[in-house]
């Protein structure tokens, strides 16, 4: 996600006033002086990383579906959102460390288990609820362009996006670069009617983009499978099993991102789910349809790869049998020379043809004639 830029939008809120952040002399001093809305003690400034880098990429306040101008700290943005009837905060984080994530969690009331999952980023797609906060984990995927598929090619790059969805805030935590959230934010900010539904509109926008990337990856993987299939069944091709196996490993990684997301989406689109607004559930159903199509594609690709692998193994077996037939054919031809020479080479006194004038050339001619006859017979039967 790109860094924050200055915005010149000054759309007023429904109360007729423009919400502007207070200007503190220093961002760190400002965060230490801000009180939580419930009157709790000030939250210390986030420690960030050892290099002082903050994981907060963007922090924005939205009122009535419009982004409010100015740069906000996450604490004062939450306080301002709670003062508005239709206000919420969207904080974008990129690979936060535990210290900074803990500071944000204290301000927004996030559960420690969810915070730990957000920092480690090794989670399976899931949907959990901690009090008033819903924790949604998505695995992102992106196709890696390559000129040729080899046994070491990286076909699919995966990452994670985690969403903390509260009554008046949404916190997105991104790991990896498989799905950047800046374009999603820019697109949603042009859809005021959608953002009027609050944090769940952001959850829909992120989920929709993640699933759309699944569809793009699936289409490009299909092209790679077509190339593998053509090479395996090409008469002059030499499709190596290592490439097929590498493609299967990449497909498994993609499958781990796509398939487990079905259950969380089923929960979000369920009629008994009261967390998601009714209007947003319609959008999530559309995302679920796209995901179902992707799952069907991935399963079919898995079956196709298994078939390609089995076909290649069968070809290897056939090639080995052909080699053995060639060896056996040449051994039979050599056996003719060995047998005749062995008989004729025995040194007995009373052997026939010992005193024949042309015995030696006759024996050679016999060897050559039988060998040529066997060679033609083996060639006619496809052994040579």
């Amino acid at each position: 996600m790109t860094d924050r830029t200055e915005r010149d939008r000054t759309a007023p809120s429904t109360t007729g006033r423009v919400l502007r952040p207070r200007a503190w002399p220093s961002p760190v001093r400002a965060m230490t002086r801000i009180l939580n809305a419930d009157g709790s003690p000030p939250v210390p400034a986030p420690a960030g990383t050892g290099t002082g880098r903050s994981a907060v990429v963007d922090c924005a306040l939205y009122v009535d579906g419009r982004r409010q101008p100015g740069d906000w700290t996450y604490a004062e943005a939450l306080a301002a959102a709670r003062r508005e009837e239709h206000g919420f905060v969207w904080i974008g984080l990129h690979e936060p460390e535990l210290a900074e994530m803990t500071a944000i969690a204290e301000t927004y009331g996030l559960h420690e288990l969810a915070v730990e999952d957000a920092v480690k980023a090794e989670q399976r797609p899931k949907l959990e609820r901690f009090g008033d906060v819903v924790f949604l984990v998505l695995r992102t995927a992106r196709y890696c362009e390559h000129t040729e598929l080899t046994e070491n090619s990286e076909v699919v790059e995966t990452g994670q996006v985690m969403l903390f969805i509260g009554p008046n805030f949404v916190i997105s935590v991104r790991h990896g670069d498989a799905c950047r959230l800046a374009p999603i934010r820019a697109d949603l900010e042009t859809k005021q009617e959608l953002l009027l539904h609050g944090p769940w509109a952001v959850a829909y926008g992120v989920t929709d983009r993640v699933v759309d990337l699944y569809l793009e990856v699936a289409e490009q993987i299909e092209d790679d499978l077509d190339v593998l299939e053509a090479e395996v069944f090409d008469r002059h091709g030499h499709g190596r099993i290592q490439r097929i196996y590498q493609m299967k490993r990449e497909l498994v990684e993609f499958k781990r991102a796509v398939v487990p997301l079905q259950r969380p989406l089923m929960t979000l689109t369920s009629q008994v789910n009261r967390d998601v607004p009714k209007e947003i559930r319609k959008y999530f159903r559309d995302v679920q349809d796209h995901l179902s199509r992707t799952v069907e594609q991935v399963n079919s690709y898995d079956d196709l790869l298994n078939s390609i692998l089995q076909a290649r193994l069968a070809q290897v077996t056939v090639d080995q049998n052909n080699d053995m037939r060639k060896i056996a054919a040449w051994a039979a031809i050599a056996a003719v020379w060995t047998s005749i020479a062995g008989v004729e080479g025995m040194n007995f006194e009373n052997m026939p043809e010992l005193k024949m004038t042309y015995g030696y050339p006759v024996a050679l001619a016999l060897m050559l004639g039988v060998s040529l006859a066997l060679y033609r017979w083996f060639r006619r039967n496809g052994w040579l």
Side-chain angles (χ1 to χ4, degrees), residues 29-49:
R29 195 180 310 148
M31 296 184 67
T32 59
R33 294 175 59 182
I34 295 172
L35 291 176
N36 293 338
D38 57 359
S40 59
V43 177
T49 63

Side-chain angles (χ1 to χ4, degrees), residues 208-221 254 258 287 289-295 297 301:
D208 182 57
R209 178 56 182 161
V210 169
V211 175
D212 285 344
L213 285 177
Y214 289 167
L215 289 171
E216 295 177 9
V217 173
E219 291 175 359
Q220 291 170 308
I221 286 179
F254 181 48
V258 175
V287 176
D289 291 339
H290 292 171
L291 181 66
S292 299
R293 189 173 70 181
T294 307
V295 171
Q297 286 180 300
Y301 295 163

Side-chain angles (χ1 to χ4, degrees), residues 147-322:
T147 56
E148 182 183 3
L149 183 64
T150 66
E151 53 267 24
N152 298 318
S153 295
E154 183 180 9
V155 179
V156 180
E157 176 189 355
T158 59
Q160 284 202 323
V161 170
M162 306 175 185
L163 300 175
F164 295 90
I165 308 161
N168 43 27
F169 67 86
V170 56
I171 301 174
S172 58
V173 182
R174 177 171 64 90
H175 290 266
D177 295 325
C179 178
R180 295 182 176 270
L181 302 184
I184 303 174
R185 186 188 290 265
D187 181 63
L188 286 175
E189 288 177 357
T190 63
K191 302 175 181 178
Q192 181 183 1
E193 294 183 358
L194 184 61
L195 282 180
L196 282 173
H197 298 292
W200 281 105
V202 176
Y204 155 72
V206 174
T207 307
D208 182 57
R209 178 56 182 161
V210 169
V211 175
D212 285 344
L213 285 177
Y214 289 167
L215 289 171
E216 295 177 9
V217 173
E219 291 175 359
Q220 291 170 308
I221 286 179
E222 185 176 7
D223 296 335
D224 286 335
L225 292 179
D226 291 339
V227 173
L228 278 179
E229 188 176 17
E231 289 181 352
V232 166
F233 292 100
D234 186 6
R235 291 185 59 184
H236 304 288
H238 55 283
R240 288 176 292 182
I241 295 180
Q242 292 88 340
R243 291 194 295 176
I244 302 175
Y245 185 71
Q246 174 66 15
M247 189 65 193
K248 190 169 181 62
R249 290 187 62 182
E250 294 293 313
L251 185 62
V252 168
E253 182 178 359
F254 181 48
K255 193 173 182 179
R256 288 174 180 170
V258 175
V259 175
L261 187 56
Q262 293 181 100
R263 178 168 294 181
L265 278 182
M266 289 180 60
T267 303
L268 292 176
T269 57
S270 175
Q271 296 292 336
V272 299
N273 191 321
R274 301 305 177 188
D275 294 324
V276 184
K278 182 179 179 181
E279 295 78 6
I280 298 298
R281 282 205 300 267
K282 299 177 182 177
Y283 291 96
F284 273 116
R285 279 195 289 271
D286 180 67
V287 176
Q288 186 180 24
D289 291 339
H290 292 171
L291 181 66
S292 299
R293 189 173 70 181
T294 307
V295 171
E296 292 175 358
Q297 286 180 300
V298 170
N299 290 332
S300 65
Y301 295 163
D302 196 18
D303 294 338
L304 180 59
L305 261 180
N306 288 333
S307 300
I308 294 175
L309 183 59
Q310 294 298 323
R312 182 58 189 144
L313 291 174
Q315 286 180 341
V316 171
T317 303
V318 170
D319 292 341
Q320 290 176 344
N321 291 337
N322 290 334

Side-chain angles (χ1 to χ4, degrees), residues 323-335 374-375 378-379 383-384:
D323 293 339
M324 291 302 299
R325 288 196 303 178
K326 291 179 181 179
I327 294 173
W330 286 113
I333 294 174
L374 287 175
Y375 179 79
F378 286 135
R379 288 280 293 182
W383 283 48
L384 290 175

